[in-house]
Amino acid sequence: MRNWSMVVALAALVSLSACDKLQGVVNSGKSNGSDAIAAAQQRTEDVGKTDPLLENPQVGDLYAAKLSAISAIGFSDARSNNTDEEVFGLLKVVEVKADSVVVITENSGWPNARGARNDLRGDLKDIGWDEEERIILKRQELPALMANGDIIETRRL
């Protein structure tokens, strides 16, 4: 009988220990859940924030952007002639008005946002500009263009 009670006592200790560990897992899951909620709330708040360069645009400002969403000109891959792909590149502010900005696009583009970001952060010596197409963007729409990913990043020289 004494052995049986020892087995029960050991089983109870193991169960309590397991419950402690389980509670730790549950609690860590709760903190991860609340961290995830906090991160989502931060992203939501960030969408409402605008870039200072978009709030006060100046001639010469550069935007890494999804050119295929902003430009009326079709872009194509020289290898496949596919014009349906997303194309990323630079926009350059050439005129600022009270309610709008006028931008031009670079002559080439990238199949991903990283290429446009790299161009924006680079020395710009190899960038050619399409002076023919002048795109008018309403100043009040600039934050929305950034929030939805059409404008990715900005730079003032």
Side-chain angles (χ1 to χ4, degrees):
M1 187 66 149
R2 186 172 174 125
N3 286 341
W4 179 249
S5 58
M6 175 105 45
V7 168
V8 170
L10 282 172
L13 285 173
V14 168
S15 291
L16 286 174
S17 175
C19 285
D20 247 2
K21 288 186 184 206
L22 182 59
Q23 186 62 37
V25 168
V26 168
N27 286 340
S28 72
K30 283 183 183 175
S31 69
N32 287 344
S34 64
D35 290 346
I37 291 169
Q41 287 172 339
Q42 183 62 44
R43 281 192 301 275
T44 302
E45 291 170 8
D46 288 345
V47 168
K49 295 179 184 175
T50 61
D51 185 297
L53 299 185
L54 295 178
E55 291 176 4
N56 184 27
Q58 294 181 8
V59 172
D61 285 354
L62 300 173
Y63 308 150
K66 189 186 308 179
L67 300 181
S68 53
I70 295 174
S71 174
I73 304 294
F75 293 87
S76 65
D77 183 344
R79 294 175 301 242
S80 69
N81 292 326
N82 185 357
T83 59
D84 295 333
E85 296 178 8
E86 291 184 334
V87 177
F88 298 85
L90 298 183
L91 298 173
K92 180 179 180 181
V93 176
V94 294
E95 188 177 346
V96 177
K97 299 179 182 179
D99 62 344
S100 64
V101 295
V102 179
V103 298
I104 59 175
T105 64
E106 72 171 297
N107 286 333
S108 60
W110 298 93
N112 56 51
R114 184 180 336 143
R117 280 190 180 107
N118 289 343
D119 279 352
L120 184 69
R121 297 172 183 172
D123 63 13
L124 307 170
K125 69 179 180 182
D126 294 328
I127 304 296
W129 300 99
D130 178 3
E131 301 282 343
E132 304 271 326
E133 182 190 25
R134 297 171 65 84
I135 304 165
I136 299 171
L137 302 173
K138 293 182 180 180
R139 287 177 70 160
Q140 66 187 17
E141 294 175 350
L142 293 176
L145 290 172
M146 183 162 237
N148 72 13
D150 289 340
I151 294 177
I152 303 160
E153 192 173 320
T154 64
R155 177 180 177 190
R156 180 164 290 156
L157 299 176

